[in-house]
Amino acid sequence: MGKKVKKESEPPSKDVFDPLPIESKKAATVVLMLNSPEEEVLVKACEAIHKFAEKGDENRSSLLGLGAVEPLSRLISHEDKLVRRNAFMALGVMAANSDVKRLLKKLDAIPSIIRKLSPEEDVVVHEFATLCLASLSVDFSCKVQISDQEGLEPLIQLLSSPDPDVKKNSVETICNLVQDLPSRVAVRELNGIPPLLELLRSEFPVIQQLSLRTLVIVTTDTDTRATFREEQGFDRLLEFLCNKEFSDLHVEALQVLSNCLEDRDSLQLIHETGGLQRLLQFITTPTLLDIQTNAVKAISRVAQSSENRKLLHEQDIERSLVELLSLEGDSLRTATCQAVAAMSLHLASKDAFRDLDGIRAVVQLLGSEGGEVREAAAQALSSLTSSNQLNSYAVYEAEGDEGLVQQLHDVIPGAVAHAAAVLTNMAEQEVLRCSILSHGAMAALLEPLQSADTHTLVRATQALAALACDAEGRTWIKYLNAGGLVRRNACWAISVCANDEPTAVEMCKLGALDLLQEINSSANRRNKFSEIALQRLLDSNLSLKYSLTNTLAPTDITVDGFYDPGQARSGQRVLTLEDLSKQPVNQRRPVITINAKPLDTGCLFPFSFTLSSCSKGKSKGRKEDEKLRDEDESKPQQEVATVTEKPWMLPYDAAFHALVTEATKTILPLHVESEQYSALARLVSEVMGGAVEVDRQHDFLWELHLSELRYELQSNIIPIGQIRKGTYYHRALLYKVLADRIGVSCSLVRGEYNRVWNEVLLSVGMPHYPGCQPQPRAHLVDLIHQPGRLLRANTPQAKQYQTI
């Protein structure tokens, strides 16, 4: 047998390096290891970076400076599971640093992070991937990218993860994403409401809070609220609210409830499940201020519909709100006043608040240091006193009128607007109006009348008009004689009030027009405010404007109630129609009136007011209001005011009404502008006695005709429709008022010697040049010599018509 040969062992390969344990205390060295091809090195390097980054933001900044972010953003997609996990752990912690977030956004790391949210990934990867997204989703552009990369769906799925950290990070990210409307809708469409509701049962308060905050935002969407109901969201929410262990989170829960209560279906559901009673318990039971505040806000939401207000009234909500008014805390007081304002739209609630002395409690809040409280208190009083004289009187008895006048100087526009609204409501009663005026309301209104806030300006104007309905209320016109800023404010007040025609007339009666004319005639006292005030005063009373300026522009549209008292001489006061109607028949120039409104529709002449004294005391006014309350409730409250004198009625002019109808039928169908002007002229001439030759004018006995009419009517006031023989100024006036009725543009101009004419604009007969738009020129309308002839202004024929 052969000898057995012993086999020798093979020497080690030259390419194999024995394992070398590496320890480093230098972060830079570990960062360099992130580029190693060896998985074991990568795992240890990522682990070391994770631990180092957890120690603070300074370490994270240091790692960023050493270039750790870029290799980590690659390693989260490594094929080795352990490398991916540790890389995510490191990157998740580092993403809390703002500079790291910016770099991750620049590196477009979000798509890679979202891909690792799949169910097959390790739960640790889920935890730190969602941690990254929670940090990144604070940035708007990152929110958009997460949504574009369809990251919301896997995040919603992870809300059901068994790991609480994954739940917390996922719901935090979703909470950030739903700040934008598209994501709110997407949460509902991706069935995100059920898992969010399930998180309310979490044992971790931070998860519950984030879930509630998300629900607060998404339930602002109507369709989401419907889904919330369908998923038994109210049951889950009420279960949460009934648990006293969660009392520190009840504020957010009440905010969700408040959102949902905007829907009638939601309110009905919560009422059926006993949720409304629970909500009322939060109001009446002493608890945290924020909880009570949000409960009251929820009540305000509920009270936005009439059916809900009736339901709340049946629950005696007014008593609870009045009790809250006495508690400390500006936020609670503000919310309570807003709830009072909402509930006061219900008539029975208005009475309930008064009977519970709630009005006095609200009045006391007008003196609060907090501006929001003052504004809300005035808002509540505005709602309480709207169309309710008894409540207005209750404000007066609580001495609220003085506080409201003071609030007109408030720096908060809303507080000023609501205060002015209350004063407007109160001014309907004479006793209250006089009391308001005694506190300097008219001077106080001058400032808000210049407000840049439209709502404030409107309310201040309404208050001024309401308070200026008697002589004492209009004493503020005296400020026109003051100097500087006061005079400018008074002028501005007049310009605002002049938009209301009855008020404009009354201001003229009290001398505002005379004062403004005097001011504007002075180079030292005249200013742009006085000029505007005078112009607006005249624009609101065209009868006065025509008498004083002898001109009505095409934009000055006459209406029923217009009259021509004749040209006013310098220093002469123009009387109102009511004053003129009281004069005996005389030989002066008749006053021509316009009124095509039938008597059955009422032509109550608006230029008269019943002035009465302010001598009544509080007790007498109180008795009168109590008497009003006992009257038939079916009568509108506007009817309770006592009319002491029947206003003067302007006679209906049936003949003029017929002329308007005739002009509408015959003139409007004409399509050529010049034909309309001429046809209307012929109609006016025919009504007023026909054409009159220049040399035969002395035979046209129009003066005798007017005298006969005056004695027939036993009045100096003659309706224009009854005139059958008219000269220049009768015809021109009729032409103007008819033109205004049918929408034909023309002006009315009064010259000398009873000459009055109409001017119209025409482009007929003008030369046309290529590329040039012809400019219209003024023409006079012949109404008496050759009716229908149009005379170009400033020509010999036109001048002859104006002077012959």
Side-chain angles (χ1 to χ4, degrees):
M1 290 183 66
K3 191 176 180 180
K4 190 174 181 180
V5 180
K6 184 179 180 182
K7 188 177 181 180
E8 296 181 358
S9 60
E10 297 179 0
S13 173
K14 295 180 180 180
D15 298 332
V16 177
F17 194 85
D18 291 338
L20 177 66
I22 298 177
E23 292 185 7
S24 177
K25 293 186 178 180
K26 297 291 186 180
T29 303
V30 178
V31 171
L32 289 174
M33 292 168 63
L34 293 175
N35 296 309
S36 171
E38 297 188 49
E39 294 171 354
E40 187 177 354
V41 174
L42 293 173
V43 169
K44 290 184 177 180
C46 289
E47 184 179 2
I49 288 175
H50 169 241
K51 292 179 179 178
F52 184 70
E54 276 190 321
K55 295 179 180 179
D57 198 58
E58 186 177 344
N59 288 2
R60 297 174 196 133
S61 296
S62 177
L63 288 168
L64 172 67
L66 293 171
V69 176
E70 291 186 53
L72 284 173
S73 64
R74 292 195 304 270
L75 292 176
I76 62 174
S77 300
H78 199 278
E79 60 184 9
D80 184 79
K81 183 177 180 179
L82 198 55
V83 173
R84 289 200 308 272
R85 187 189 74 174
N86 287 6
F88 260 118
M89 291 174 67
L91 196 63
V93 174
M94 288 189 66
N97 181 275
S98 57
D99 293 325
V100 172
K101 283 190 283 189
R102 279 193 287 271
L103 182 54
L104 286 173
K105 183 169 62 172
K106 184 179 179 181
L107 295 171
D108 196 26
I110 288 177
S112 299
I113 297 172
I114 291 175
R115 283 195 293 270
K116 301 310 172 186
L117 299 179
S118 58
E120 59 270 13
E121 277 294 344
D122 185 86
V123 69
V124 177
V125 172
H126 287 166
E127 176 186 347
F128 287 96
T130 52
L131 182 62
C132 274
L133 292 177
S135 298
L136 290 168
S137 59
V138 176
D139 180 82
F140 175 75
S141 59
C142 288
K143 291 179 189 177
V144 175
Q145 192 173 11
I146 293 171
S147 298
D148 291 345
Q149 294 295 321
E150 299 182 350
L152 193 54
E153 185 172 6
L155 286 167
I156 289 174
Q157 293 173 353
L158 290 175
L159 293 177
S160 303
S161 171
D163 186 271
D165 289 318
V166 176
K167 289 181 178 179
K168 181 262 178 187
N169 296 335
S170 298
V171 71
E172 183 176 359
T173 306
I174 294 172
C175 188
N176 291 335
L177 293 176
V178 296
Q179 303 293 330
D180 300 324
L181 181 60
S183 294
R184 296 177 208 170
V185 176
V187 166
R188 171 178 51 81
E189 293 175 343
L190 294 169
N191 200 29
I193 301 301
L196 285 170
L197 289 171
E198 188 61 34
L199 292 183
L200 296 180
R201 292 176 174 172
S202 173
E203 58 182 304
F204 298 98
V206 64
I207 295 178
Q208 293 175 312
Q209 185 176 48
L210 288 167
S211 175
L212 285 169
R213 288 179 179 175
T214 306
L215 287 170
V216 167
I217 298 170
V218 298
T219 52
T220 57
D221 175 66
T222 304
D223 293 331
T224 301
R225 292 196 292 269
T227 303
F228 185 86
R229 290 194 304 270
E230 295 167 2
E231 298 295 338
Q232 284 74 51
F234 280 116
D235 292 338
R236 198 68 58 86
L237 201 59
L238 291 174
E239 174 188 317
F240 188 87
L241 287 168
C242 290
N243 194 328
K244 293 184 179 179
E245 294 181 8
F246 304 148
S247 60
D248 56 335
L249 297 175
H250 283 171
V251 171
E252 285 88 352
L254 285 168
Q255 288 175 335
V256 178
L257 185 63
S258 177
N259 288 343
C260 293
L261 289 176
E262 288 190 12
D263 301 329
R264 184 200 296 178
D265 294 339
S266 296
L267 178 67
Q268 188 63 32
L269 181 61
I270 196 173
H271 180 55
E272 293 172 356
T273 56
L276 186 58
Q277 284 72 22
R278 179 60 182 155
L279 182 59
L280 295 175
Q281 287 176 11
F282 277 110
I283 294 177
T284 56
T285 305
T287 180
L288 295 175
L289 177 64
D290 288 343
I291 293 177
Q292 281 187 303
T293 300
N294 280 280
V296 175
K297 288 181 179 179
I299 291 295
S300 294
R301 291 285 183 91
V302 175
Q304 294 307 307
S305 78
S306 58
E307 293 181 4
N308 296 352
R309 290 191 290 270
K310 182 178 179 182
L311 186 61
L312 289 169
H313 174 66
E314 292 171 355
Q315 301 292 324
D316 199 22
I317 186 62
E318 296 87 0
R319 187 176 302 278
S320 301
L321 293 175
V322 171
E323 291 174 358
L324 289 178
L325 289 171
S326 61
L327 299 183
E328 297 294 330
D330 283 1
S331 60
L332 177 59
R333 288 175 169 177
T334 300
T336 304
C337 286
Q338 290 169 344
V340 170
M343 283 300 302
S344 294
L345 296 175
H346 184 61
L347 294 179
S349 294
K350 288 186 178 184
D351 294 338
F353 283 122
R354 183 180 66 252
D355 295 339
L356 292 167
D357 208 21
I359 293 179
R360 184 177 298 275
V362 176
V363 166
Q364 291 174 352
L365 296 181
L366 292 174
S368 300
E369 293 183 4
E372 291 185 353
V373 180
R374 296 195 303 273
E375 180 178 0
Q379 180 186 2
L381 292 175
S382 174
S383 185
L384 284 164
T385 58
S386 178
S387 301
N388 194 302
Q389 293 193 3
L390 291 174
N391 282 1
S392 294
Y393 201 90
V395 174
Y396 165 64
E397 287 191 319
E399 299 181 353
D401 50 342
E402 183 175 3
L404 289 164
V405 171
Q406 292 174 355
Q407 193 156 308
L408 294 175
H409 299 290
D410 206 296
V411 295
I412 301 176
V416 177
H418 291 309
V422 183
L423 294 173
T424 303
N425 296 337
M426 296 177 67
E428 294 178 4
Q429 300 179 65
E430 182 184 336
V431 174
L432 277 59
R433 184 169 63 247
C434 293
S435 178
I436 293 169
L437 293 171
S438 69
H439 296 301
M442 303 310 280
L445 280 169
L446 294 177
E447 184 177 344
L449 282 167
Q450 297 185 82
S451 174
D453 180 71
T454 303
H455 184 58
T456 301
L457 181 60
V458 169
R459 291 299 189 187
T461 304
Q462 291 172 340
L464 190 60
L467 292 168
C469 67
D470 58 30
E472 287 198 20
R474 290 184 294 271
T475 56
W476 58 276
I477 292 177
K478 66 184 181 183
Y479 292 115
L480 289 173
N481 283 321
L485 181 62
V486 175
R487 184 193 303 131
R488 289 196 295 272
N489 286 348
C491 288
W492 180 249
I494 289 177
S495 67
V496 172
C497 289
N499 291 322
D500 179 67
E501 187 173 350
T503 303
V505 174
E506 285 301 307
M507 286 191 293
C508 291
K509 288 169 64 176
L510 291 167
L513 181 66
D514 298 334
L515 287 171
L516 285 170
Q517 287 179 309
E518 181 185 340
I519 290 170
N520 286 326
S521 65
S522 169
N524 295 328
R525 301 169 67 194
R526 183 176 63 247
N527 57 68
K528 62 178 182 180
F529 294 99
S530 64
E531 292 171 353
I532 292 173
L534 179 60
Q535 185 61 45
R536 289 189 179 176
L537 203 59
L538 292 176
D539 288 343
S540 295
N541 190 339
L542 294 184
S543 302
L544 196 62
K545 181 177 184 178
Y546 183 49
S547 179
L548 293 171
T549 67
N550 299 315
T551 302
L552 290 181
T555 53
D556 294 325
I557 307 300
T558 58
V559 295
D560 292 323
F562 178 87
Y563 66 102
D564 178 13
Q567 182 176 0
R569 294 186 296 273
S570 178
Q572 179 185 355
R573 187 175 180 182
V574 181
L575 298 178
T576 67
L577 262 182
E578 184 177 9
D579 293 334
L580 291 168
S581 69
K582 297 175 181 178
Q583 293 181 345
V585 177
N586 53 49
Q587 297 300 318
R588 296 175 186 169
R589 181 186 184 278
V591 177
I592 312 301
T593 61
I594 311 298
N595 181 30
K597 185 179 294 185
L599 290 174
D600 56 352
T601 64
C603 186
L604 192 64
F605 200 60
F607 302 155
S608 61
F609 291 86
T610 301
L611 305 182
S612 50
S613 66
C614 301
S615 60
K616 297 179 183 177
K618 286 189 178 181
S619 59
K620 184 175 181 181
R622 180 67 171 176
K623 290 178 181 177
E624 289 179 353
D625 280 358
E626 289 175 352
K627 181 179 179 181
L628 290 174
R629 187 180 182 184
D630 294 334
E631 290 182 355
D632 186 1
E633 294 181 357
S634 64
K635 294 182 179 180
Q637 289 196 346
Q638 299 94 301
E639 296 180 5
V640 299
T642 302
V643 179
T644 57
E645 182 180 337
K646 185 177 180 180
W648 181 73
M649 190 75 72
L650 178 63
Y652 165 56
D653 190 347
F656 175 64
H657 193 168
L659 277 175
V660 174
T661 303
E662 178 68 18
T664 304
K665 291 179 179 179
T666 59
I667 308 301
L668 287 185
L670 303 175
H671 300 295
V672 180
E673 214 172 28
S674 59
E675 292 180 3
Q676 289 184 331
Y677 293 141
S678 297
L680 183 59
R682 288 190 289 271
L683 175 63
V684 169
S685 176
E686 181 182 349
V687 170
M688 289 284 183
V692 180
E693 296 179 10
V694 175
D695 56 356
R696 302 290 298 176
Q697 290 187 79
H698 60 278
D699 294 330
F700 188 66
L701 305 179
W702 60 272
E703 293 167 312
L704 177 61
H705 172 63
L706 289 179
S707 296
E708 293 172 347
L709 279 177
R710 182 160 40 203
Y711 282 97
E712 178 184 337
L713 297 172
Q714 281 300 297
S715 174
N716 295 316
I717 297 175
I718 298 178
I720 196 167
Q722 296 196 27
I723 300 176
R724 289 293 172 263
K725 283 188 177 182
T727 186
Y728 294 92
Y729 72 85
H730 306 110
R731 300 187 183 206
L733 177 60
L734 180 59
Y735 190 93
K736 169 64 175 171
V737 295
L738 285 175
D740 288 346
R741 297 300 172 109
I742 64 174
V744 173
S745 178
C746 79
S747 62
L748 179 66
V749 182
R750 176 162 36 213
E752 298 178 348
Y753 310 112
N754 280 333
R755 290 297 187 270
V756 181
W757 59 88
N758 303 103
E759 291 185 2
V760 297
L761 295 177
L762 279 178
S763 301
V764 177
M766 295 183 60
H768 290 256
Y769 299 98
C772 296
Q773 186 71 23
Q775 295 296 317
R777 293 182 180 176
H779 288 68
L780 273 65
V781 183
D782 188 343
L783 299 172
I784 192 165
H785 303 309
Q786 299 179 39
R789 181 178 52 156
L790 302 178
L791 309 170
R792 184 175 297 177
N794 298 319
T795 60
Q797 294 91 340
K799 292 180 179 178
Q800 184 182 28
Y801 184 82
Q802 294 168 321
T803 56
I804 291 180

